[in-house]
Amino acid sequence: MPHADTLDVVHHDDTRTRFTDVRYELHRNGIRIWSAEGEHAFTDVLMTQAYRHRDADK
């Protein structure tokens, strides 16, 4: 399961939902996200952007 330091979910109505420090699974019908706040599921996903920040020397 991928990990993202920052995950942006862009919905079909062009709104955005941002999460930090999450695990996620992309599915054919949406995305499921696990964060410190709990589990989230979205089916109205237009696009996702996941960022993993790493040290330059690694």
Side-chain angles (χ1 to χ4, degrees), residues 2-52:
H3 173 261
D5 294 319
T6 305
L7 176 70
D8 289 329
V9 178
V10 181
H11 305 274
H12 286 287
D13 62 358
D14 290 330
T15 59
R16 292 177 180 256
T17 307
R18 175 169 279 188
F19 297 92
T20 56
D21 193 28
V22 297
R23 298 266 180 201
Y24 64 95
E25 285 182 345
L26 290 170
H27 297 278
R28 186 178 185 169
N29 59 345
I31 188 169
R32 185 168 299 278
I33 301 166
W34 291 268
S35 69
E37 293 83 29
E39 186 175 337
H40 313 273
F42 297 101
T43 58
D44 64 335
V45 177
L46 179 64
M47 181 178 74
T48 60
Q49 294 176 319
Y51 300 96
R52 179 83 190 249

